[in-house]
Amino acid sequence: MSDSNRACRRTLTIAAAALLVVTPAINAEAQSSDVARLEARVAELEALVRELVDARAATPAARSEPVVESESTATSKYTFGGYVEANANISDYGSGDLAPASAGTQFYIPATIPVGGEGEGPDTDLESLETRIFFRHDRTTEAGDSLTGYLELDFFLSVGGNERVSNSFAPRIRHGYIKYNNWLFGQTWTTFQDVAALPENVDFVGPAEGTAFGRQTMVRYTRGPWEFAVENPETTITPFGGGPRIVTDDGAIPDLVARYTHQLDNGYLKVAGLVRELNYDFGGPSDTEIAYALSVSGKHMFGSDDLRWMATAGPGVGRYLGLNTSNGAVLDADGNLEAIDQFGAFASYRHFWREGVRSNLTLSYLDIDNDTALTGSAVTRSVYSVHANLLYDLMPRLTVGGEIMYAQREIETGQEGDLTRLLLTAKYGF
């Protein structure tokens, strides 16, 4: 036991003994008529108390109060949100039909438009698969560091569900990442995509053929208007002569992306560059090919209205454009990779008729430069789509509306297929 603790205990012992001795005496004297003797005893008690106080004040341990650390000034914020959305899609394919539960029935995927068949009349699909939920935690430390954890789920492209009885679709991960100051680690939108330029369409993506689009795991660093990322590599290949897509899952070098944002008085411009290695190695022939692409996009305000647009091009851009309508490369007869050139673009104008009531007109196009001697003639040559909608906010966070879209796909043989789709929606954000 330290000297300060022993001194403190000794002081408390003396005080307790004094109270035990003096208190009965006071009570006894109070019963006596000798008031003078009682006053003397009280004076002695006061002197003893002063002595004890002086002794405690002189003890170092008594003078020093225990140090209590102040609570951390770090702040935390938990956020929960998302939206519930119910959609009705009425689709008419001019040259065939889609299989039940096809991904193309859930939202517009250009490569799924049937070509070369006979139309079978309209199909109606009612679904709530776009419904999503997110959880977020933001923390700022007393040192000024910021930390964010984010998780978001929806139900598109879900396994395990069907439309026969219960429609019990499993959730899937959309985003799951950590942000620490300027660094991001995890899955989110590819840095090559400008999410803010996406138009307000009822369809999940809208102008899918003309859009750079993707989510994947990455490490990204942001400093001012600049963003630099290394992202998950994946190569998709067309076999020599055509056939089912080859997904190689090869490649030791991550995809490299850089993006710059330039602010304007009425909006912004973004320029993103992509460099990646296409890789093919199946134990026999193997090859690598360097691919690159450029994407320019922007948003411009005209009062309450706005114009959004994007243009993307490059040899080997592949899966980053048009929801992988075309692959990044094709194999030649010797098993060597040849990058496939693509160009895609869209423009969308949003007009507010009055507060809470607006329309979006969107045009989108994709052109693919195939070497048909390698790819064959059954691959997509071009796709375009037109979208027009009317949306109305019944009350804050509750939106209803409808959209009509028309899309056409052409393959290298010259055959065409088209899609006309009416979309109705009700959406509540929380």
Side-chain angles (χ1 to χ4, degrees), residues 100-272:
S102 167
T105 65
Q106 298 179 23
F107 56 92
Y108 171 49
I109 301 176
T112 65
I113 298 177
V115 172
E118 294 293 331
E120 299 181 7
D123 296 328
T124 298
D125 293 281
L126 306 178
E127 49 85 8
S128 298
L129 299 175
E130 191 174 337
T131 295
R132 71 182 59 161
I133 190 172
F134 75 83
F135 306 88
R136 176 173 179 147
H137 176 242
D138 294 284
R139 177 176 174 82
T140 302
T141 69
E142 56 186 352
D145 294 320
S146 62
L147 181 64
T148 297
Y150 186 86
L151 175 64
E152 183 175 305
L153 309 171
D154 74 358
F155 303 87
F156 269 136
L157 306 177
S158 175
V159 297
N162 62 70
E163 300 180 1
R164 293 181 293 105
V165 180
S166 65
N167 287 267
S168 301
F169 295 98
R172 63 161 190 167
I173 184 171
R174 284 171 50 82
H175 302 274
Y177 62 80
I178 302 164
K179 287 184 69 176
Y180 175 69
N181 292 334
N182 295 336
W183 292 90
L184 180 146
F185 309 88
Q187 176 172 305
T188 189
W189 300 111
T190 172
T191 313
F192 192 61
Q193 175 188 355
D194 180 9
V195 180
L198 289 177
E200 189 183 23
N201 285 111
V202 174
D203 184 79
F204 176 57
V205 181
E209 59 276 285
T211 302
F213 187 95
R215 290 186 301 270
Q216 58 195 12
T217 300
M218 69 190 69
V219 177
R220 182 163 67 201
Y221 176 75
T222 302
R223 187 171 184 84
W226 286 98
E227 298 167 85
F228 304 93
V230 292
E231 305 191 6
N232 184 63
E234 185 62 275
T235 301
T236 59
I237 298 172
T238 301
F240 175 65
R245 171 181 294 128
I246 300 172
V247 181
T248 69
D249 201 25
D250 293 326
I253 301 176
D255 294 353
L256 306 178
V257 187
R259 183 168 67 185
Y260 179 79
T261 302
H262 177 66
Q263 297 296 332
L264 303 172
D265 291 340
N266 68 332
Y268 70 85
L269 292 173
K270 285 184 187 288
V271 180

Side-chain angles (χ1 to χ4, degrees), residues 153-430:
L153 309 171
D154 74 358
F155 303 87
F156 269 136
L157 306 177
S158 175
V159 297
N162 62 70
E163 300 180 1
R164 293 181 293 105
V165 180
S166 65
N167 287 267
S168 301
F169 295 98
R172 63 161 190 167
I173 184 171
R174 284 171 50 82
H175 302 274
Y177 62 80
I178 302 164
K179 287 184 69 176
Y180 175 69
N181 292 334
N182 295 336
W183 292 90
L184 180 146
F185 309 88
Q187 176 172 305
T188 189
W189 300 111
T190 172
T191 313
F192 192 61
Q193 175 188 355
D194 180 9
V195 180
L198 289 177
E200 189 183 23
N201 285 111
V202 174
D203 184 79
F204 176 57
V205 181
E209 59 276 285
T211 302
F213 187 95
R215 290 186 301 270
Q216 58 195 12
T217 300
M218 69 190 69
V219 177
R220 182 163 67 201
Y221 176 75
T222 302
R223 187 171 184 84
W226 286 98
E227 298 167 85
F228 304 93
V230 292
E231 305 191 6
N232 184 63
E234 185 62 275
T235 301
T236 59
I237 298 172
T238 301
F240 175 65
R245 171 181 294 128
I246 300 172
V247 181
T248 69
D249 201 25
D250 293 326
I253 301 176
D255 294 353
L256 306 178
V257 187
R259 183 168 67 185
Y260 179 79
T261 302
H262 177 66
Q263 297 296 332
L264 303 172
D265 291 340
N266 68 332
Y268 70 85
L269 292 173
K270 285 184 187 288
V271 180
L274 166 70
V275 177
R276 65 188 188 122
E277 181 187 74
L278 306 178
N279 195 296
Y280 175 75
D281 186 357
F282 275 80
S286 64
D287 193 26
T288 60
E289 176 83 359
I290 299 299
Y292 54 90
L294 184 71
S295 185
V296 184
S297 58
K299 179 180 178 181
H300 312 278
M301 301 299 301
F302 302 95
S304 59
D305 294 358
D306 63 73
L307 172 67
R308 311 178 194 203
W309 60 275
M310 182 185 297
T312 306
V317 63
R319 64 185 179 88
Y320 282 92
L321 180 61
L323 300 184
N324 209 170
T325 298
S326 175
N327 296 314
V330 59
L331 289 173
D332 66 14
D334 298 321
N336 299 315
L337 292 171
E338 296 289 339
I340 301 174
D341 281 287
Q342 297 183 64
F343 170 78
F346 75 81
S348 182
Y349 189 82
R350 179 168 66 171
H351 173 67
F352 279 82
W353 302 102
R354 60 182 177 86
E355 185 178 358
V357 182
R358 67 270 188 199
S359 291
N360 296 265
L361 175 63
T362 306
L363 308 176
S364 182
Y365 177 75
L366 172 65
D367 181 77
I368 304 166
D369 185 14
N370 297 295
D371 182 348
T372 55
L374 303 179
T375 64
S377 58
V379 294
T380 301
R381 173 191 294 173
S382 64
V383 192
Y384 73 85
S385 65
V386 182
H387 312 248
N389 64 36
L390 178 64
L391 302 173
Y392 173 51
D393 294 336
L394 288 174
M395 58 183 296
R397 296 178 176 268
L398 178 59
T399 301
V400 297
E403 179 171 298
I404 185 72
M405 65 162 288
Y406 175 81
Q408 184 177 96
R409 180 168 78 100
E410 180 184 1
I411 63 176
E412 289 291 352
T413 63
Q415 291 179 301
E416 297 177 347
D418 61 74
L419 162 65
T420 303
R421 177 172 286 173
L422 173 65
L423 304 96
L424 304 173
T425 188
K427 178 180 177 180
Y428 171 61
F430 55 88

